[in-house]
Amino acid sequence: MPTNRMIARKESAVYAQVLLEAAQGTGTVFEVAGQLEQANESICGNIDLRTALFDRAIPADARIGVIDEVFDGFDPALLATLGVMVKRDDLGLLGKVADTYTGIAEKALDAVFIDVTTVVALDDGLRDSIKKKYAAQFGCDVLLREHIDPAIMGGIVLSAQGVSIDASVASQLEGTRRVLAQAR
């Protein structure tokens, strides 16, 4: 007998697969992966947006209008998928859909997506260096999703396939703070 978790996994896989097929048709597989992550982070990180999108007292068409407005410029297939998820009250699956999509998109492109967070934009030399190093490690192409975050204060944070390397100044300062606090 299927459990709720099994059903959610299957539904997430269906959304991800349909979205992948649409993105392959337009050649936007990698771009959609980034937009999907961004949509998930925005919805999870903004309580007002989350409340508006999950409030069943608000008609589904109005919630879809919110999605279209907030994510204006995103891939049409992604917007359509989010709309279907709203209509079916499946938006709670968005994190699982994003994770599943990333996995199947990496396989489809024979590449690994690496999230790179820095304080300033990467220059071409550093970008190429990261790609070469991790292409050799993973044995396939590497596609970078670049993020700017002043909160890390300096350094770099790399994340791929659930593994994160945090060489940021903020994490080093936090580690030093913990060591000093324990020394007392």
Side-chain angles (χ1 to χ4, degrees):
M1 177 162 198
T3 64
N4 286 343
R5 212 176 317 174
M6 289 171 59
I7 293 169
R9 189 178 310 129
K10 287 180 182 179
E11 288 176 347
S12 299
V14 169
Y15 283 123
Q17 186 62 45
V18 169
L19 184 55
L20 176 69
E21 290 170 8
Q24 285 176 316
T26 58
T28 57
V29 173
F30 180 67
E31 292 80 3
V32 168
Q35 291 174 358
L36 184 55
E37 285 293 326
Q38 188 178 351
N40 186 45
E41 289 172 9
S42 296
I43 292 168
C44 289
N46 184 319
I47 190 68
D48 294 331
L49 178 58
R50 186 172 176 80
T51 300
L53 294 176
F54 283 86
D55 187 350
R56 291 182 182 163
I58 300 171
D61 289 340
R63 291 184 282 155
I64 292 169
V66 170
I67 284 175
D68 290 340
E69 186 176 327
V70 170
F71 302 114
D72 183 41
F74 276 31
D75 189 273
L78 175 56
L79 293 175
T81 301
L82 293 173
V84 170
M85 293 176 77
V86 165
K87 283 183 181 177
R88 294 183 176 174
D89 290 323
D90 283 343
L91 203 55
L93 298 174
L94 188 57
K96 290 182 189 316
V97 172
D99 290 344
T100 303
Y101 182 89
T102 296
I104 63 176
E106 285 178 335
K107 287 179 185 171
L109 295 174
D110 190 28
V112 172
F113 301 165
I114 298 181
D115 289 296
V116 180
T117 305
T118 55
V119 173
V120 296
L122 295 175
D123 62 32
D124 291 337
L126 184 54
R127 187 177 294 115
D128 290 342
S129 175
I130 292 168
K131 284 183 177 182
K132 285 178 187 172
K133 176 180 178 172
Y134 289 100
Q137 181 176 337
F138 288 111
C140 61
D141 285 339
V142 169
L143 300 172
L144 302 181
R145 292 189 288 205
E146 299 177 31
H147 310 278
I148 306 293
D149 184 0
I152 69 169
M153 296 194 267
I156 191 167
V157 178
L158 301 165
S159 179
Q161 298 181 338
V163 177
S164 184
I165 300 170
D166 188 343
S168 67
V169 171
S171 70
Q172 292 172 12
L173 288 172
E174 178 59 23
T176 303
R177 186 196 63 76
R178 274 188 259 136
V179 167
L180 291 173
Q182 290 176 352
R184 291 185 187 170

